[in-house]
Amino acid sequence: MGLSRFSLRTTTRCELIDITGEVRKNLSVSGIREGLCCVYSPHTTAGITINENADPDVKRDILSWLGKSVPASGNFTHAEGNSDAHIKTLMTGSSVMVPVHQGDLVLGTWQGIYFSEFDGPRDRKVFIQIIG
Ligand code: ZN
């Protein structure tokens, strides 16, 4: 199996959506037991990152800190008016690589894979490439 993808609909301007379950589903379908899983966002105002999935306050703190660090009302040149979203995407990155071992993602106990939306709500895509 090569490249797969799924769609998601984000519901607010800035949010972190846990997509770990969706990535695991794709890994399971691939049948690959040992390898590498790349999760990639093809967008310039939404990215992919790994962070804590236990305490929801962490997610809130990250979004709050990003909002304060790069305010939407900042003094930007880009006419579309969403430069803050481009910069926040730069900060979370557009992809993650997770090792695959014994048919599962090698994630730490408290880690989850997140789709990070910074200019929603929108219809978005996530690509997954699993290499055995
Ligand atoms: Zn833009």
Side-chain angles (χ1 to χ4, degrees):
M1 186 187 113
L3 189 65
S4 63
R5 67 179 243 186
F6 65 90
S7 301
L8 74 165
R9 172 86 190 154
T10 60
T11 58
T12 59
R13 183 152 196 272
C14 296
E15 62 182 315
L16 294 171
I17 300 169
D18 191 333
I19 57 169
T20 314
E22 205 63 46
V23 176
R24 279 210 164 99
K25 225 182 283 172
N26 278 266
L27 175 58
S28 164
V29 168
S30 80
I32 289 170
R33 307 270 313 155
E34 301 293 329
L36 198 56
C37 176
C38 173
V39 186
Y40 169 74
S41 154
H43 305 288
T44 61
T45 55
I48 305 284
T49 192
I50 291 177
N51 217 293
E52 172 160 341
N53 68 354
D55 179 1
D57 280 345
V58 173
K59 218 163 75 164
R60 274 193 282 273
D61 286 346
I62 290 170
L63 289 172
S64 156
W65 184 86
L66 285 172
K68 280 180 209 146
S69 304
V70 191
S73 59
N75 185 20
F76 302 115
T77 308
H78 178 47
E80 203 185 2
N82 61 354
S83 275
D84 68 304
H86 290 291
I87 294 165
K88 287 166 187 159
T89 300
L90 177 77
M91 293 165 92
T92 65
S94 294
S95 65
V96 296
M97 294 278 260
V98 184
V100 172
H101 180 57
Q102 295 178 348
D104 196 13
L105 299 169
V106 181
L107 288 170
T109 309
W110 312 113
Q111 283 185 319
I113 303 170
Y114 286 96
F115 183 83
S116 52
E117 174 64 83
F118 297 116
D119 197 20
R122 290 196 197 204
D123 291 312
R124 299 294 202 175
K125 280 183 289 236
V126 175
F127 286 95
I128 301 172
Q129 176 91 59
I130 302 164
I131 302 156

